Amino acid sequence: MKLKDEILNYLYSAQGGFLSGEQLAAMCGVSRNAVWKAVNALKDAGFAVDAVTNKGYRLSAEDVFIPSLTGLDASQYDVLFYRKTDSTNTRLKALAEEGAREGTVAVALEQTAGRGRKGRNFCSPDSGIYISFLLRPAFGAEEVSLLTVAAAVAAARTVDFVTGKNSGIKWVNDIYTGGRKVCGILSEAALSVESRNVDYAIVGTGINLYKPQGGFPDEIKNVAGWLFDKPVKNLKNIVVKKLTDEFFGIYRNFADKSFFDEYRAKSIITGKTVSVVKSDRTLPAYVLRIDDACRLEVKYENGETELLSSGEISVKL
């Protein structure tokens, strides 16, 4: 473990209390100058560390993400942490091309180029957390789209766990609570040119933990929500651990598709009238069901029914 990470762990364990440079030096078996350099490295990495004469150092933020404190099994997962990055999905795609193993997890506290469905931007301020998983699935390309379903169930379970509330899923990849979107998911895959099988897949999830400073952009401020109004100690570590455990628990038993029943049960649009947005028009439609391929069956005002693919249309509440 690097010295700065060791010091970060000690500061976190102090629960907001001060640790002197002398204490940290003794704990880590290094000089006070080495401690000072490590603390500056933490500050440069974006951690809020207070330094007060005759008191020492402390973490001033309650909710700090520390990979080593998530409790994730290092034999199963390689956790990569970015204070800020362009996109966790983009980071993992590059690593996947270099041969990174299944179970590589990228976590960021802010994204500068977060991506959503159909090439849209995904607002990724430093009030959220962004988590992507690298997979090397054995199943065919036709089942890759169902990874989004699995991720939605895992994310909904995570939101329910930390808030104590019941979230809902808006087809196909959004998690809602309190009538607002708090989480979005983007799944991507690369196919082998020779075999046409899946070479790797990446599933990214972004969760709005808190309201961003200054609020959300105008285009989403009436839709976007957040989980908590003030910092919750250890929340980021808990969310990463819970989401990872839930998703890979589903993924390891992917063939039985039992998660699909939970996905349907949490649907917030089944049995409701929605707006189906196609390229050239918007039509009101009544949602009948979600089929086993995650297509939405709707009935239009003229009585006609249609199975909609998530790649073709959008649905608005």
Side-chain angles (χ1 to χ4, degrees):
M1 182 184 295
K2 294 181 179 178
L3 178 59
K4 68 180 180 67
D5 295 325
E6 189 175 359
I7 288 175
L8 182 62
N9 287 352
Y10 281 129
L11 292 174
Y12 182 83
S13 299
Q15 299 183 346
F18 283 95
L19 291 175
S20 70
E22 185 177 0
Q23 285 175 301
L24 288 169
M27 290 173 174
C28 300
V30 298
S31 68
R32 291 180 65 179
N33 187 56
V35 169
W36 178 79
K37 289 181 179 179
V39 168
N40 284 335
L42 289 173
K43 291 180 178 179
D44 291 341
F47 290 99
V49 182
D50 293 332
V52 178
T53 303
N54 297 324
K55 286 190 175 181
Y57 307 103
R58 72 173 180 183
L59 279 177
S60 58
E62 288 189 72
D63 186 14
V64 181
F65 177 68
I66 302 177
S68 61
L69 297 183
T70 60
L72 289 171
D73 185 349
S75 69
Q76 297 186 59
Y77 308 111
D78 294 329
V79 182
L80 310 173
F81 173 52
Y82 306 91
R83 183 76 186 175
K84 180 192 291 189
T85 190
D86 50 359
S87 160
T88 52
N89 271 31
T90 300
R91 295 299 98 219
L92 280 193
K93 286 172 74 173
L95 291 170
E97 295 289 348
E98 295 172 2
R101 68 164 176 163
E102 179 171 271
T104 302
V105 181
V107 180
L109 303 185
E110 183 178 357
Q111 295 183 131
T112 58
R115 292 179 291 114
R117 289 179 58 233
K118 301 183 179 180
R120 299 187 186 100
N121 292 330
F122 184 82
C123 181
S124 311
D126 61 5
S127 53
I129 194 160
Y130 312 95
I131 308 156
S132 295
F133 303 129
L134 170 59
L135 312 171
R136 296 194 181 276
F139 47 75
E142 67 281 356
E143 292 194 276
V144 167
S145 63
L146 299 186
L147 288 172
T148 300
V149 177
V153 171
R157 289 177 183 174
T158 300
V159 169
D160 293 354
F161 178 78
V162 298
T163 64
K165 300 176 182 178
N166 291 319
S167 61
I169 299 172
K170 175 180 171 286
W171 182 84
V172 61
N173 62 339
D174 296 334
I175 310 303
Y176 273 61
T177 186
R180 288 180 173 266
K181 177 181 172 179
V182 297
C183 171
I185 297 160
L186 177 65
S187 298
E188 304 177 273
L191 301 179
S192 169
V193 175
E194 293 82 7
S195 67
R196 303 303 297 170
N197 291 327
V198 178
D199 186 16
Y200 63 83
I202 294 169
V203 179
T205 303
I207 303 176
N208 300 331
L209 301 179
Y210 310 107
K211 184 179 181 179
Q213 192 170 26
F216 288 100
D218 288 345
E219 59 268 26
I220 62 171
K221 68 180 182 181
N222 294 325
V223 176
W226 54 93
L227 301 187
F228 295 97
D229 291 324
K230 60 183 180 180
V232 176
K233 186 174 179 60
N234 207 33
L235 179 63
K236 295 184 178 78
N237 297 321
I238 292 170
V239 166
V240 171
K241 175 72 161 60
K242 181 67 173 175
L243 181 67
T244 303
D245 285 345
E246 290 291 356
F247 178 79
F248 279 95
I250 294 171
Y251 177 67
R252 293 183 186 109
N253 297 286
F254 196 79
D256 68 15
K257 302 296 187 296
S258 59
F259 59 90
F260 227 114
D261 290 338
E262 190 171 348
Y263 181 86
R264 291 190 181 99
K266 277 191 166 289
S267 170
I268 61 173
I269 63 172
T270 303
K272 294 184 178 179
T273 297
V274 298
S275 295
V276 176
V277 183
K278 298 193 176 184
S279 58
D280 59 344
R281 55 196 169 135
T282 299
L283 299 171
Y286 180 80
V287 178
L288 298 172
R289 67 185 181 105
I290 300 170
D291 77 359
D292 290 342
C294 200
R295 294 176 299 179
L296 199 68
E297 185 175 10
V298 299
K299 184 176 183 179
Y300 296 108
E301 290 180 327
N302 63 5
E304 293 182 359
T305 62
E306 185 179 10
L307 284 170
L308 305 174
S309 165
S310 60
E312 298 171 345
I313 61 95
S314 296
V315 168
K316 294 183 178 180
L317 292 170

